Amino acid sequence: MTKASYNENPNQNGVPAQTQRSGLRGERSRSGMSEPFGEAGSERDGACGDEGYTPASFEKRAAAWMGIAYALMFLFVVDFAIYTGGREMPGTFPLFLVPVSVALAVVTIRRMKLKTCPGGSAGGVFALTLCAAGTLFGLALGAPALLTAFGR
């Protein structure tokens, strides 16, 4: 390294110069002092301030629960194959239609309550009908195949 990359301050004995942090990563400057992450110690103490935190929307939370259901279903299918010596569960694919149908129904019901459903009440009823059909179709085709896989 060249001499120019080191701080010229004799007290630091050749230590690389520190870059000055000015307003990066949510810092604020008050009276010449900067406190990281907003208010003094609010993030470190576990308390979350009103600014900077936005709770997830209802749709995102429903999608997260749907993702958890899919992860558990996938884990079950993989574990079944591992513990049965590589045996598959044929015909259980329609069961993967159930979590998305339920999540979509929950979101549609909430939007109908808030009167923000696209297509109004008619669109909401149509979406709920499709969700019910998807749930019933998935269970009707997937549950017997699942029971057959356990019966072998």
Side-chain angles (χ1 to χ4, degrees):
M1 292 196 168
T2 64
K3 179 115 177 137
S5 66
Y6 287 89
N7 196 343
E8 299 294 328
N9 189 350
N11 294 335
Q12 291 193 359
N13 298 329
V15 177
Q18 299 292 322
T19 59
Q20 181 178 357
R21 297 167 58 185
S22 59
L24 299 177
R25 290 188 239 153
E27 294 177 353
R28 293 186 184 168
S29 179
R30 278 189 213 139
S31 329
M33 303 200 50
S34 66
E35 297 169 355
F37 306 113
E39 300 299 318
S42 66
E43 294 291 329
R44 284 177 266 138
D45 296 337
C48 57
D50 290 337
E51 58 186 61
Y53 173 73
T54 304
S57 67
F58 183 80
E59 288 84 359
K60 288 180 183 177
R61 286 183 276 154
W65 281 108
M66 180 184 68
I68 290 171
Y70 276 124
L72 291 175
M73 290 172 73
F74 182 72
L75 182 68
F76 176 76
V77 169
V78 170
D79 284 346
F80 180 83
I82 289 171
Y83 291 121
T84 58
R87 208 172 76 197
E88 296 178 6
M89 291 195 310
T92 57
F93 181 73
L95 287 174
F96 283 90
L97 187 61
V98 174
V100 71
S101 297
V102 171
L104 185 59
V106 168
V107 170
T108 303
I109 289 170
R110 180 155 191 275
R111 285 189 175 189
M112 286 178 70
K113 280 184 180 180
L114 297 176
K115 301 196 185 312
T116 60
C117 188
S121 295
V125 169
F126 180 69
L128 286 176
T129 304
L130 289 178
C131 291
T135 302
L136 292 175
F137 180 71
L139 289 175
L141 293 178
L146 185 64
L147 295 175
T148 303
F150 284 131
R152 281 192 188 173

Coordinates of all heavy atoms in Angstrom, one line a residue, residues 5 7 12 15-21:
S5 N -2.6 6.1 1.3 CA -3.8 5.4 1.8 C -3.9 5.3 3.4 O -4.8 4.8 3.9 CB -3.9 4.0 1.3 OG -2.8 3.2 1.8
N7 N -3.6 7.3 7.2 CA -3.9 8.6 7.8 C -2.5 9.2 8.2 O -1.6 8.6 8.6 CB -4.8 8.4 9.0 CG -5.4 9.7 9.5 OD1 -5.0 10.7 9.1 ND2 -6.4 9.5 10.3
Q12 N -1.9 7.6 15.2 CA -2.5 6.3 14.7 C -1.4 5.4 14.2 O -1.7 4.2 13.9 CB -3.5 6.6 13.7 CG -4.8 7.3 14.3 CD -5.9 7.2 13.4 OE1 -5.9 6.7 12.3 NE2 -7.0 7.7 13.8
V15 N -2.1 3.3 10.9 CA -3.3 2.5 10.8 C -4.1 3.1 9.6 O -4.1 4.3 9.4 CB -4.1 2.6 12.1 CG1 -5.5 1.9 11.9 CG2 -3.3 2.1 13.2
P16 N -4.8 2.3 8.8 CA -5.6 2.8 7.6 C -6.6 3.9 8.1 O -7.2 3.7 9.2 CB -6.2 1.6 7.0 CG -5.4 0.5 7.5 CD -4.8 0.8 8.8
A17 N -6.8 4.9 7.3 CA -7.7 6.0 7.7 C -9.1 5.4 7.7 O -9.6 4.6 6.9 CB -7.6 7.1 6.7
Q18 N -9.9 5.9 8.7 CA -11.3 5.5 8.8 C -12.1 6.4 8.0 O -11.9 7.6 8.0 CB -11.7 5.6 10.3 CG -11.0 4.7 11.2 CD -11.3 3.2 11.0 OE1 -12.4 2.9 10.7 NE2 -10.3 2.4 11.0
T19 N -13.1 5.9 7.3 CA -14.0 6.7 6.6 C -15.0 7.4 7.5 O -15.5 6.7 8.4 CB -14.7 5.9 5.4 OG1 -15.4 4.9 6.1 CG2 -13.7 5.4 4.5
Q20 N -15.4 8.6 7.2 CA -16.3 9.3 8.0 C -17.7 8.8 7.6 O -18.1 8.8 6.4 CB -16.2 10.8 7.9 CG -17.2 11.5 8.8 CD -17.0 13.0 8.6 OE1 -16.1 13.5 7.9 NE2 -17.9 13.8 9.3
R21 N -18.6 8.5 8.6 CA -19.9 8.0 8.3 C -20.8 9.2 8.5 O -21.0 9.8 9.5 CB -20.3 6.9 9.2 CG -19.4 5.7 9.1 CD -19.6 4.7 10.2 NE -21.0 4.3 10.3 CZ -21.4 3.5 11.2 NH1 -20.6 3.1 12.1 NH2 -22.7 3.2 11.3

